[in-house]
Amino acid sequence: MRVQSLSLAAASAALLAPTTAPTPPPAPHGDRPAVTREGTVTAADLLAEVRDCAVVSRGRYRSDHGAPATIPVCGTGDAVYWKADMDIDCDGRPGPRCNRRTDPYFAPSTAFAQSDGRPLSAERLPFIVVPAPSRVWDYRDHGVRGGSVVAVVHRDRVQYAVVGDTGPQHIIGEASYATAEALGIRPDPHGGGVPSGVTYIVFKNTRVSPIEDHAAAVAAGERAARRFVGAR
């Protein structure tokens, strides 16, 4: 995770191939190509469903430490969602792009583990970070858990991901290196991300098992997204 939002896993140590659109040119910051979407539901379809906000959180979140608390968590019968920035989570299993050399705040753990018990790989698996449960909002009370399916939207691109990590109780807006890279966002854990314009839609009562199966996340995400936009 970025300095702005250290992972709950790190904090707790102190306290205790579906069909895709044609492949565009490789992203300049890694070997995963940016994709327009991973299915038939467009960014415009999804964004049309989240234009309004029925607030389900008891307060609002900050995008970074020191920023004003302006971001609510919104909800429908099928999903919870928020519109925020994207900080880069590089925590988890170390690799050539996510390690203590590339990220001074690197933590070799994630809140949710893959099926063999090892931490998730932020540089390989698209996942997002949700705030740790608090009085502001507890994701567990809204049908969300580790492995829940997420549609992450940036501009005209849709990337399916899973809930894979938790962060500080007062900050929202973070996703793994792989999520950012696939969306064409600079994935550098030290200075990457974008300051706004990212929508995170978490589909309630969904779960990918094993959590590291991205193809399963895409298939489940496409089904959930089609229901969410009323497609048949």
Side-chain angles (χ1 to χ4, degrees):
M1 285 183 166
R2 299 285 302 283
V3 59
Q4 292 94 334
S5 48
L6 298 174
S7 69
L8 178 63
S12 63
L15 295 174
L16 317 160
T19 300
T20 62
T23 303
H29 300 289
D31 55 10
R32 282 176 58 90
V35 297
T36 300
R37 62 180 183 269
E38 292 186 309
T40 61
V41 180
T42 68
D45 291 335
L46 289 164
L47 293 176
E49 299 297 319
V50 297
R51 284 178 299 199
D52 301 320
C53 177
V55 177
V56 297
S57 56
R58 295 187 180 93
R60 296 178 182 243
Y61 286 96
R62 305 176 190 275
S63 59
D64 296 298
H65 288 292
T70 60
I71 305 168
V73 177
C74 312
T76 70
D78 300 319
V80 292
Y81 57 92
W82 53 93
K83 301 175 184 181
D85 64 336
M86 182 183 285
D87 291 332
I88 307 304
D89 186 352
C90 226
D91 292 343
R93 201 163 73 251
R97 297 178 181 85
C98 290
N99 55 64
R100 287 188 174 90
R101 295 187 307 276
T102 62
D103 181 1
Y105 300 97
F106 175 79
S109 57
T110 50
F112 306 106
Q114 59 183 40
S115 56
D116 61 3
R118 293 189 297 169
L120 304 180
S121 170
E123 66 181 54
R124 298 179 64 86
L125 180 68
F127 66 79
I128 73 160
V129 180
V130 294
S134 71
R135 293 167 59 187
V136 174
W137 183 60
D138 188 335
Y139 64 87
R140 300 170 299 184
D141 295 336
H142 295 267
V144 177
R145 52 189 168 172
S148 287
V149 181
V150 188
V152 188
V153 184
H154 179 245
R155 296 180 178 172
D156 63 343
R157 292 173 174 165
V158 178
Q159 172 70 24
Y160 292 114
V162 292
V163 172
D165 205 356
T166 55
Q169 293 180 334
H170 62 291
I171 290 176
I172 204 166
E174 188 169 5
S176 68
Y177 183 109
T179 307
E181 188 174 41
L183 287 168
I185 295 170
R186 184 183 175 210
D188 185 353
H190 189 64
V194 288
S196 63
V198 182
T199 301
Y200 304 79
I201 304 170
V202 186
F203 299 110
K204 295 180 180 180
N205 303 311
T206 58
R207 190 175 194 181
V208 174
S209 182
I211 192 173
E212 67 269 22
D213 188 344
H214 180 59
V218 173
E222 175 71 359
R223 289 193 300 270
R226 287 177 62 81
R227 289 194 300 269
F228 188 62
V229 303
R232 294 292 183 268

